[in-house]
Amino acid sequence: MVFGIVALGVVEALVEPSLGHGVAKLAGALAFAVGLVFLIVGRTELFSENFFDPVAADIAQGGGKAWARLARLWVIILALNLVGGAVLVGVISIDGALPEGAPHALVGAAEEIAGREWAATLARAVLAGALVALLSYMLNAVNTVVARIMVAYMVGFLLALGPFDHVVVSALHLLFGVWNSSVVGYADLGFNIVLATAGNLVGGLLLITLTHTAQFRSERG
């Protein structure tokens, strides 16, 4: 996802001087989507991406222990997403690592995220959770690499175009802002992680996964 964030910053910086802020945002969203393609084709796991299989299995098993294992799995995935992303954010924060103008564009994105009201952040996180959870269902409906790339690209584009608050993407944006801006602080980062995680769970787990699981069980039963 960090490479998607880098692509967003570089493209926005290149496009905005000649075509304006609006077109630059659109172009940046188109560029960001490549990061989600890397993730899907590389068969890595993004927090809230694939809720259906483990949830369906745990519902079938029943009991509190099953849900405890599931919660532990999600915590580990989220932690690894954030730690791995933070390492790469540290690399791109080195002076001169990014083309001219890209750091300014990424700092602007971080300040925009940090400046949102909490209700807006939560609402955008619910939408992001639903969108990313839907990705796994759409991937199950296609059977070619080209189709998987197209589905991943469309979801990545919508995720950035919103822009919706997926906890990993927003946290890495904010972390870049913490290390490169005097406006964004660690308190903004922590607050966003809490809100975005809650919203992603509501959107991905309650609105999408549990409704699909209930439908699946009713069709089988």
Side-chain angles (χ1 to χ4, degrees), residues 36-210:
L36 199 57
V37 172
F38 288 171
L39 184 144
I40 296 302
V41 175
R43 297 187 182 279
T44 52
E45 185 83 10
L46 181 66
F47 175 73
S48 80
E49 175 202 338
N50 185 13
F51 277 161
F52 180 74
D53 290 336
V55 167
D58 279 1
I59 288 177
Q61 293 177 14
K65 291 184 178 179
W67 283 101
R69 289 195 302 269
L70 195 55
R72 185 169 62 250
L73 171 66
W74 291 337
V75 169
I76 292 172
I77 291 173
L78 177 58
L80 292 177
N81 283 169
L82 293 175
V83 171
V87 172
L88 290 178
V89 170
V91 173
I92 66 174
S93 295
I94 297 173
D95 189 34
L98 295 179
E100 183 178 356
H104 176 74
L106 293 180
V107 165
E111 292 175 352
E112 179 184 347
I113 294 170
R116 292 178 191 145
E117 295 292 333
W118 72 268
T121 297
L122 185 60
R124 290 170 184 258
V126 170
L127 293 170
L131 179 61
V132 174
L134 281 172
L135 173 62
S136 63
Y137 295 98
M138 291 188 286
L139 289 173
N140 286 331
V142 298
N143 55 11
T144 68
V145 174
V146 173
R148 291 174 65 86
I149 290 173
M150 292 178 63
V151 168
Y153 187 84
M154 288 187 294
V155 170
F157 171 64
L158 289 174
L159 189 65
L161 184 66
F164 301 126
D165 277 291
H166 186 275
V167 57
V168 175
V169 178
S170 294
L172 297 180
H173 268 299
L174 286 168
L175 187 59
F176 187 88
V178 170
W179 290 341
N180 294 276
S181 168
S182 59
V183 176
V184 184
Y186 283 106
D188 298 309
L189 174 61
F191 188 59
N192 184 273
I193 288 176
V194 171
L195 279 181
T197 300
N200 290 167
L201 287 171
V202 170
L205 184 59
L206 298 182
L207 296 185
I208 302 299
T209 302
L210 291 182

